[in-house]
Amino acid sequence: MEPLPLVDQHCHGVLREGPDEAAAFEALLTESDAPPAPGTRHFDTQLGFAVRRWCAPVLGLEPHCAPDDYLGRRRQLGAREATRRLLRAARIGTFLVDTGLPGDLTDPGELAAAGGGTAREIVRVERLAERAAAAAPGAAAFLAHLAEAIAAAAKTAAGFKTVAAYRYGLDLDPAPPSAAELRDAAARWLDSRRTDRLTDPVLLRHLMWSAARTGLPLQVHTGFGDPDLRLHRADPLLLTDFIRAVRPTGCRVVLLHCYPFHRNAGYLAAAYPHVYADVGLSLGHTGARAEAVLAEMLELTPFGKLLFSTDAYGLPELYLVGAQNFRQAVARLCARFTGEGSWSRSDADRVAALIAAGNARRLYGPGN
Amino acid sequence: MEPLPLVDQHCHGVLREGPDEAAAFEALLTESDAPPAPGTRHFDTQLGFAVRRWCAPVLGLEPHCAPDDYLGRRRQLGAREATRRLLRAARIGTFLVDTGLPGDLTDPGELAAAGGGTAREIVRVERLAERAAAAAPGAAAFLAHLAEAIAAAAKTAAGFKTVAAYRYGLDLDPAPPSAAELRDAAARWLDSRRTDRLTDPVLLRHLMWSAARTGLPLQVHTGFGDPDLRLHRADPLLLTDFIRAVRPTGCRVVLLHCYPFHRNAGYLAAAYPHVYADVGLSLGHTGARAEAVLAEMLELTPFGKLLFSTDAYGLPELYLVGAQNFRQAVARLCARFTGEGSWSRSDADRVAALIAAGNARRLYGPGN
Amino acid sequence: MEPLPLVDQHCHGVLREGPDEAAAFEALLTESDAPPAPGTRHFDTQLGFAVRRWCAPVLGLEPHCAPDDYLGRRRQLGAREATRRLLRAARIGTFLVDTGLPGDLTDPGELAAAGGGTAREIVRVERLAERAAAAAPGAAAFLAHLAEAIAAAAKTAAGFKTVAAYRYGLDLDPAPPSAAELRDAAARWLDSRRTDRLTDPVLLRHLMWSAARTGLPLQVHTGFGDPDLRLHRADPLLLTDFIRAVRPTGCRVVLLHCYPFHRNAGYLAAAYPHVYADVGLSLGHTGARAEAVLAEMLELTPFGKLLFSTDAYGLPELYLVGAQNFRQAVARLCARFTGEGSWSRSDADRVAALIAAGNARRLYGPGN
């Protein structure tokens, strides 16, 4: 049977070169920013096991080969060839690429070319603000430049993304800031000369509302991620009042990752017509448990509201692992539900296709 | 084997007529108050799939038939006949009916007659207060009428119910309000002329304490429900201090629904002798996942403390789906636990009977 | 196949005599401090069923025999013989014993002798403070005695433990208190003459920081336990800022129990190199569901960071149940993951050995 065609609705570029050192490779296998604890290594996780399982055969090795054999073979092939093989094996048709991360990463076009698919951009609003601030002589100019940048991005991007969860927490005031609040916050931030990193909650709210008003989908990081996060302040339920407030704008809110609050995200997607949920990191990182996590997302989330993504970043391995964990989880769940008579076979096939690609195509519009 | 006889310890009336239109039917398949997102329909959920699975055969159709075939057949039979068939198939012996919802709904007697069982009433305290307020000339009279209404209800009702989670949140001050606080809050509410909907936290606390003091079980909405809710303020753990404070009154607190906080509810039922937990909405709405959710409830909840309910409302389909999801989940879990040697067969049968009916009979007393 | 050798990294003594009465025995089967609800008994839980399953054969009875037969046989054998049989059957090689609980309990040496293993001590910091306060003439002397007691304990103990979750909640200010704050808090506490029970958050923080600075692992109670707890204030995520603040000291933080927040604990263990998670109470009390709970812990927790413990207290049954639930859960999960090709057999064996003992040996150092 042909593998499900996939729209990866949230991902990032991969490194153009390397990583050649085991430590550098393993650093990209974890959301942690630290070396592993003494006596442990980052390969010893569900994600590490899944890389050895799914990726080794694509590089011509046995599944579950030793990590160092894997890395040796990868070096031998070279980053370009390894990337090409791994991305092709993932069989992702469309990449929606968040370009807001630093590093020598492939751009959307290169990624699409390597993977044999097409790409569109997801624009990270905090990055737009940081760029606008770097160039602006003062608060008024900053706000004007920012508005222009958002309007310009909206013409070509598939959607926007916010990392307010990292920068402040999702327990933000849900209302758009007043003009006076906004001016003050902008002036304060520019005066602080810390324009490299936006953490002011007034400005973050302004960005979220500005993106919402464009009518494009707004992806919101929720749930787990790197240690920069206070996870209890990244529960998507904290967005409830924002979700209610933004509804009249027509904005569709996409809750990314969600784990371990994925059931909460499912409730929001069920309760509000403009809320969608994404499997993201949750399936890639949980490996052998991806089926169980996906099953929990499918308790309340309407089947027309769940989206696939890999959140891959840096390593092409994360594309293949995300895609395979997802495909296998969907196939097993469908087999289970149909086997026990809970779902019909044709419903199962239809739901699988919706999550894999159909929902994303409807949400992001033509070109996906 | 005979199906488990059930006491449905929390449910509502069904529509006397219709619904004939697909949109009206589907609106009752979701807790959302909105139309489905563009390109989706409310049938595409675990609950929608479960309706097609369990209810279609009872109306003479194939399981998993197309939604429009189902609705056509339902119209052909008429609401009365469909209701009779679906309720009979649910084989619920006792209905404890929360009569606090508006609409042209069957009353407890009609429901029992249609279902071939018996019914008792669960009285929603907020409704009593809203009625007392509508008739009262001032705060003192309102409070006196309310006290009389609660005392009168306590003579015949099986228990009380509060929806404080919807009206304010469960993060209420746990103590009963003082006489002065209460008088002020009552006067403020009556003056506001918004007596159609009680949201004042002082009055909500007064209602909860008034119900508690009658000695009847007090059902508390916790966990998910319609979008009127801020779900993170409906975590049953927020009731911890109220649960402690109310214990000396002899009140037994029944935590309804609980999902996705059902493990938290299990802890409370394990920690406090007067706390019970209910499967409610959690099993009806999660369809093919009902077994998994019930299994989580059975981690900490003492087996003498878990109760069955459907929380059915509007559609008789919700009775059949709730009952069948529950019966199948219990049967599968028991088979799993006995098959692996964790439970004995006789223990499994005993636990199944407790959850299905025995615990409710003990809790609500004779007549159930 | 030989059973996995275990290091029980968090446990307590068992009663030297009895309990002979059913009520006394059952009181130790629950975290509740109350009699069971009318018409129920504490044996009717996952833990109670697991005791009848695993322990009855060790006392020469059929698995799942009636509770009263079990208790009769136990009395006939006597507490000493029952303890010896049950502890030996648990095959625990090393006991790390928290000696901070009251009662006529076996000390670590007696426990080790009865169980055929070795023991080391885990020192509860609140107990040290309460002892120092009882003897001290004033705040300065108290703080000095406390510092000496911690230094002395650090010379022999395997680690420290804090029950700040019980005494206040984990939503403590993360920073170490200033000298002035500390003096004031100490004086206030001593003046209150309530030196039997330390609940002051400034002193609790001081204890946690003092333990952290010794370089020994610091075990922190998180998640469920007895009703003294406000469970929503025992979520390990509330420790995030403390975890960050304490990292430069080299302190390793061990999150005990964690349920129902065990996925949150897994995130912390993945995000921070000095954080470990423990299965503790979570597997003992969930019986037939232990595999499911362990599986959730193994989603994000790095395999080199998860630790086994029983948290057994009072009854030797809790050792055997904790050990057997754990062994069976690990064996089944490994069979499942290898059967479906997610893990290799050799990886599965290695991970099982790490969780059972290897991680604890590395963390607590020689002698384990």
Side-chain angles (χ1 to χ4, degrees):
Chain A
M1 201 173 72
E2 278 299 287
L4 280 174
L6 300 175
V7 174
D8 184 347
Q9 71 109 30
H10 183 76
C11 55
H12 306 273
V14 299
L15 291 176
R16 289 204 178 93
E17 300 296 332
D20 288 335
E21 299 306 313
F25 185 91
E26 293 191 55
L28 288 162
L29 274 188
T30 172
E31 292 286 314
S32 179
D33 58 356
T40 74
R41 68 188 294 185
H42 287 319
F43 257 110
D44 282 340
T45 58
Q46 291 282 10
L47 176 58
F49 281 23
V51 165
R52 289 165 51 220
R53 182 221 191 148
W54 295 118
C55 303
V58 173
L59 304 196
L61 302 166
E62 288 295 308
H64 302 295
C65 69
D68 294 330
D69 292 345
Y70 181 81
L71 295 173
R73 173 69 177 147
R74 198 182 193 283
R75 270 193 302 273
Q76 185 184 43
L77 287 170
R80 176 180 297 261
E81 173 63 12
T83 292
R84 199 191 59 81
R85 288 195 187 192
L86 292 163
L87 280 177
R88 296 272 158 163
R91 301 222 202 177
I92 293 167
T94 309
F95 301 83
L96 302 191
V97 188
D98 168 7
T99 51
L101 284 171
D104 181 27
L105 302 175
T106 54
D107 64 31
E110 293 170 277
L111 194 73
T118 58
R120 291 180 70 192
E121 192 178 358
I122 298 290
V123 174
R124 195 184 279 220
V125 287
E126 290 80 8
R127 192 76 187 276
L128 288 186
E130 286 153 3
R131 279 190 196 145
F142 159 66
L143 291 170
H145 291 179
L146 175 59
E148 285 160 25
I150 290 173
K155 286 186 188 145
T156 57
F160 287 98
K161 176 189 178 186
T162 174
V163 291
Y166 279 107
R167 299 304 181 83
Y168 179 82
L170 298 179
D171 46 347
L172 288 157
D173 183 337
S178 70
E181 270 182 288
L182 185 56
R183 263 195 320 271
D184 290 354
R188 212 163 43 231
W189 184 46
L190 295 176
D191 284 352
S192 74
R193 308 276 176 191
R194 306 218 25 214
T195 49
D196 52 327
R197 190 171 162 80
L198 174 62
T199 60
D200 180 274
V202 173
L203 296 177
L204 291 168
R205 281 156 60 203
H206 175 63
L207 292 173
M208 291 169 72
W209 276 94
S210 299
R213 290 185 176 120
T214 65
L216 290 187
L218 174 60
Q219 300 183 345
V220 186
H221 180 101
T222 72
F224 88 113
D226 71 51
D228 207 18
L229 203 70
R230 282 168 179 82
L231 184 55
H232 51 303
R233 293 178 59 190
D235 183 339
L237 290 181
L238 298 172
L239 288 171
T240 304
D241 288 327
F242 174 77
I243 285 169
R244 291 180 186 187
V246 88
R247 184 166 159 191
T249 67
C251 174
R252 288 150 301 163
V253 177
V254 182
L255 306 169
L256 298 177
H257 317 313
C258 309
Y259 183 100
F261 310 115
H262 42 292
R263 283 167 156 166
N264 302 4
Y267 163 75
L268 293 171
Y272 299 101
H274 59 307
V275 175
Y276 295 75
D278 156 81
V279 306
L281 275 181
S282 308
L283 300 198
H285 279 252
T286 55
R289 289 286 298 167
E291 179 193 345
V293 174
L294 180 65
E296 293 178 2
M297 300 197 89
L298 283 172
E299 286 164 3
L300 286 194
T301 315
F303 305 141
K305 296 290 206 75
L306 191 62
L307 302 162
F308 165 72
S309 82
T310 61
D311 196 45
Y313 159 65
L315 299 179
E317 279 83 355
L318 303 182
Y319 279 103
L320 183 58
V321 164
Q324 294 298 72
N325 282 354
F326 171 74
R327 278 198 185 92
Q328 181 173 275
V330 167
R332 283 198 186 143
L333 264 187
C334 287
R336 188 185 302 269
F337 291 165
T338 56
E340 67 195 22
S342 297
W343 291 13
S344 71
R345 187 68 247 172
S346 63
D347 278 328
D349 292 342
R350 189 168 58 87
V351 169
L354 284 173
I355 305 172
N359 291 333
R361 288 201 184 107
R362 185 181 352 98
L363 179 63
Y364 294 99
N368 303 308
Chain B
M1 200 173 75
E2 277 300 288
L4 281 175
L6 301 176
V7 174
D8 185 346
Q9 72 111 30
H10 183 76
C11 55
H12 306 274
V14 298
L15 290 177
R16 288 202 178 96
E17 300 296 333
D20 287 335
E21 299 305 312
F25 185 91
E26 292 191 57
L28 288 162
L29 275 188
T30 172
E31 292 286 312
S32 178
D33 58 356
T40 76
R41 66 188 295 184
H42 288 319
F43 258 109
D44 281 341
T45 58
Q46 291 283 9
L47 175 58
F49 281 24
V51 164
R52 290 165 51 221
R53 181 217 193 153
W54 294 119
C55 303
V58 172
L59 305 195
L61 302 166
E62 288 296 308
H64 302 296
C65 69
D68 293 329
D69 292 346
Y70 182 80
L71 295 174
R73 173 69 177 150
R74 198 182 194 281
R75 271 193 303 273
Q76 185 184 43
L77 287 170
R80 177 181 295 263
E81 174 62 12
T83 293
R84 199 190 60 80
R85 289 194 187 191
L86 293 163
L87 281 177
R88 296 272 158 161
R91 302 221 203 176
I92 292 167
T94 307
F95 301 84
L96 303 190
V97 187
D98 168 6
T99 51
L101 283 171
D104 181 28
L105 302 175
T106 54
D107 65 31
E110 292 170 276
L111 194 72
T118 58
R120 290 179 70 192
E121 193 177 359
I122 299 289
V123 174
R124 194 183 278 220
V125 287
E126 288 80 9
R127 192 76 187 275
L128 288 186
E130 286 154 1
R131 278 189 196 145
F142 159 66
L143 292 169
H145 290 180
L146 176 60
E148 284 161 23
I150 290 173
K155 286 186 187 146
T156 57
F160 287 99
K161 176 189 177 186
T162 174
V163 290
Y166 279 108
R167 300 303 182 83
Y168 178 82
L170 298 179
D171 46 347
L172 288 157
D173 183 336
S178 71
E181 270 182 288
L182 186 56
R183 262 195 322 269
D184 289 353
R188 211 164 43 231
W189 184 46
L190 294 175
D191 284 352
S192 74
R193 308 277 174 191
R194 304 216 27 213
T195 49
D196 53 326
R197 190 171 163 80
L198 174 62
T199 59
D200 181 274
V202 173
L203 296 177
L204 291 168
R205 281 157 60 203
H206 175 63
L207 291 174
M208 291 168 72
W209 275 93
S210 299
R213 289 185 177 120
T214 66
L216 290 187
L218 173 60
Q219 300 183 345
V220 185
H221 180 101
T222 72
F224 89 113
D226 69 52
D228 208 17
L229 202 71
R230 282 167 179 80
L231 184 55
H232 51 302
R233 294 178 59 190
D235 183 339
L237 291 180
L238 298 172
L239 287 171
T240 304
D241 288 327
F242 174 77
I243 286 168
R244 291 178 185 187
V246 87
R247 184 167 158 190
T249 67
C251 175
R252 289 150 298 163
V253 176
V254 182
L255 306 169
L256 298 177
H257 318 312
C258 308
Y259 183 98
F261 310 115
H262 43 292
R263 283 168 157 165
N264 302 4
Y267 163 75
L268 293 171
Y272 299 102
H274 59 308
V275 174
Y276 294 75
D278 156 81
V279 305
L281 275 182
S282 308
L283 300 198
H285 278 250
T286 56
R289 288 286 298 168
E291 179 193 345
V293 174
L294 180 65
E296 293 178 3
M297 300 196 89
L298 283 172
E299 286 163 4
L300 285 194
T301 314
F303 305 142
K305 295 290 208 74
L306 190 62
L307 302 162
F308 164 73
S309 81
T310 60
D311 196 45
Y313 159 65
L315 300 179
E317 279 83 355
L318 302 182
Y319 279 103
L320 183 58
V321 164
Q324 294 298 74
N325 282 355
F326 172 75
R327 278 197 185 94
Q328 182 173 275
V330 168
R332 285 198 186 144
L333 266 188
C334 287
R336 187 184 304 268
F337 291 165
T338 56
E340 67 195 23
S342 298
W343 291 14
S344 71
R345 186 69 247 174
S346 63
D347 278 328
D349 291 344
R350 188 167 60 86
V351 169
L354 284 173
I355 305 171
N359 291 334
R361 288 202 183 106
R362 184 181 353 99
L363 179 63
Y364 294 99
N368 304 308
Chain C
M1 200 174 73
E2 277 301 288
L4 281 174
L6 301 175
V7 174
D8 185 347
Q9 71 111 29
H10 183 76
C11 55
H12 307 273
V14 298
L15 290 176
R16 288 201 177 94
E17 299 296 333
D20 287 336
E21 300 305 313
F25 184 91
E26 292 191 58
L28 288 162
L29 275 187
T30 173
E31 291 286 312
S32 179
D33 58 356
T40 75
R41 68 188 295 185
H42 287 319
F43 257 110
D44 281 341
T45 58
Q46 291 283 10
L47 176 58
F49 281 24
V51 165
R52 290 165 51 221
R53 181 219 192 149
W54 294 119
C55 304
V58 173
L59 303 196
L61 301 167
E62 289 296 308
H64 302 296
C65 70
D68 293 329
D69 292 347
Y70 181 81
L71 295 173
R73 173 68 176 151
R74 199 183 194 282
R75 271 192 302 274
Q76 186 184 44
L77 287 170
R80 175 179 298 263
E81 174 62 12
T83 291
R84 199 191 58 80
R85 289 195 186 191
L86 293 163
L87 280 177
R88 296 273 158 163
R91 302 222 202 176
I92 292 167
T94 308
F95 300 84
L96 303 191
V97 188
D98 167 7
T99 50
L101 283 171
D104 182 28
L105 301 175
T106 55
D107 65 31
E110 293 169 277
L111 195 72
T118 58
R120 291 179 69 193
E121 192 177 359
I122 299 289
V123 174
R124 195 182 280 220
V125 286
E126 289 79 9
R127 192 75 187 276
L128 288 186
E130 286 154 1
R131 279 190 195 142
F142 158 67
L143 291 169
H145 291 180
L146 176 60
E148 286 161 23
I150 289 173
K155 288 186 188 145
T156 58
F160 287 99
K161 176 190 177 185
T162 173
V163 290
Y166 279 108
R167 299 304 181 83
Y168 178 82
L170 298 179
D171 46 348
L172 288 157
D173 183 337
S178 70
E181 270 181 289
L182 185 56
R183 262 194 321 270
D184 290 353
R188 210 163 44 231
W189 183 46
L190 295 175
D191 284 352
S192 73
R193 308 280 177 191
R194 304 216 28 212
T195 49
D196 53 326
R197 188 171 164 80
L198 174 62
T199 59
D200 181 274
V202 173
L203 296 177
L204 291 168
R205 281 156 59 204
H206 175 64
L207 292 174
M208 291 167 72
W209 276 94
S210 300
R213 289 184 177 122
T214 65
L216 290 187
L218 173 60
Q219 301 182 344
V220 185
H221 179 102
T222 71
F224 89 112
D226 71 51
D228 210 15
L229 201 70
R230 279 167 182 80
L231 184 54
H232 51 303
R233 293 177 61 190
D235 183 340
L237 291 181
L238 298 172
L239 288 171
T240 305
D241 287 327
F242 174 77
I243 285 168
R244 292 179 184 187
V246 87
R247 184 168 158 190
T249 66
C251 173
R252 288 150 300 163
V253 177
V254 183
L255 306 170
L256 298 177
H257 318 312
C258 308
Y259 183 99
F261 310 115
H262 43 292
R263 284 170 157 164
N264 302 4
Y267 163 75
L268 293 170
Y272 299 102
H274 59 307
V275 175
Y276 294 76
D278 156 82
V279 305
L281 274 182
S282 306
L283 300 199
H285 278 251
T286 56
R289 289 284 299 167
E291 179 193 346
V293 174
L294 180 64
E296 293 178 3
M297 301 197 89
L298 283 172
E299 287 163 3
L300 286 194
T301 314
F303 306 142
K305 296 289 207 76
L306 190 62
L307 302 162
F308 165 72
S309 82
T310 61
D311 196 44
Y313 159 65
L315 301 180
E317 279 82 356
L318 302 182
Y319 279 103
L320 183 58
V321 164
Q324 294 296 75
N325 282 355
F326 171 74
R327 277 197 186 95
Q328 181 173 275
V330 168
R332 284 196 185 146
L333 264 188
C334 287
R336 188 184 302 269
F337 291 164
T338 55
E340 66 195 24
S342 297
W343 291 14
S344 73
R345 186 68 248 172
S346 64
D347 278 328
D349 291 344
R350 189 167 59 87
V351 170
L354 284 173
I355 305 171
N359 291 333
R361 288 202 183 104
R362 182 178 358 97
L363 178 63
Y364 294 99
N368 302 307

